[in-house]
Amino acid sequence: MRAWTVLAVGAALLGAGCAATMEGYADPAALTLKSPVVKATTLDIPVRFFEEELASRWQHHGMGIINDQETFQKLWKMYAAEVTALPPAVDFENFAVLFVYDPEHYNLVDIRGLNVWQGIANPIVAHTDWTLTIGGDPMMRKINTQKGKPVPEPKVNVALLPILRNSPRHPGVTALLVEGNPEDEGASRVIPVPEAP
């Protein structure tokens, strides 16, 4: 398992602001961090984790955060059901885990960078442009089910990246921008990153 590259992102965030506000988001002077991500971790995760295990307040349309060790263990248990791998260590006292995936199709996803304006993080995401149905061809799934053949659980490719949470000891990410136009506060939606659990 690859080690997560968190030191560069964490160190750069020390200069980030603390206010989770959209005011001035588009002002270049408000950009407090523009950091490349050396390598985010990517895993194939069953869709049911996002549908059944992760509360809706932590996600929106394929992007969100995992805020605690218990939830992360649920994700890893679903991933590791078919592999033998130990989960990477995450310091949830100081970090939350940002995730991104394509909720419409199966595509490989990569977090290439992280822009932060006054504490609000906007990940730079790259993905393939496949139009593969999540879970494979529905007709073949039905045929294999009727024949008693094994049918794989629907999965999505998920990019994961620890992000430094805001605290009195160090400024960090206060919210994640999940949709909308950063220049229009009314059209923008954020998921607040809470204090450590």
Side-chain angles (χ1 to χ4, degrees), residues 115-140:
N115 289 345
V116 178
W117 282 265
Q118 299 181 359
I120 301 171
N122 182 16
I124 301 165
V125 179
H127 60 80
T128 54
D129 291 321
W130 301 336
T131 55
L132 300 174
T133 303
I134 294 174
D137 180 56
M139 183 57 70
M140 287 306 300

Side-chain angles (χ1 to χ4, degrees), residues 13 16 24-25 41 46 58 63 79 99 104 113 120 124 133 164 167 192:
L13 275 167
Y25 186 95
T41 297
W58 300 124
M63 187 179 295
Y79 162 72
F99 68 81
E104 305 295 334
I120 301 171
I124 301 165
T133 303
L164 188 67
S167 78

Side-chain angles (χ1 to χ4, degrees), residues 94-109:
N94 294 303
F95 290 86
V97 175
L98 160 68
F99 68 81
V100 182
Y101 68 93
D102 183 344
E104 305 295 334
H105 300 96
Y106 181 89
N107 275 296
L108 303 180
V109 181

Side-chain angles (χ1 to χ4, degrees), residues 4 20 24 26-27 33 41 47 54 62 71 77 81 83 85 90 95 109 115-116 125 134-135 144 173 190 193 196:
W4 287 1
D27 181 358
L33 166 69
T41 297
V47 176
L54 186 64
T71 306
K77 186 175 180 181
V83 300
V90 180
F95 290 86
V109 181
N115 289 345
V116 178
V125 179
I134 294 174
N144 287 336
V173 173
V190 298
V193 177

Side-chain angles (χ1 to χ4, degrees), residues 136-145 151:
D137 180 56
M139 183 57 70
M140 287 306 300
R141 292 180 67 84
K142 184 177 179 180
I143 291 170
N144 287 336
T145 300
V151 178

Side-chain angles (χ1 to χ4, degrees), residues 14 44 55 74 141 153 172 186:
L14 292 176
D44 280 358
K74 289 178 183 178
R141 292 180 67 84
E153 185 172 13

Side-chain angles (χ1 to χ4, degrees), residues 4-13 31-40 98 110-116 122-125 161-163:
W4 287 1
T5 305
V6 297
L7 294 180
V9 174
L13 275 167
L31 180 62
T32 50
L33 166 69
K34 187 170 184 179
S35 174
V37 173
V38 177
K39 194 67 178 177
L98 160 68
D110 191 20
I111 301 172
R112 296 286 177 85
L114 194 66
N115 289 345
V116 178
N122 182 16
I124 301 165
V125 179
L161 178 71
I163 53 174

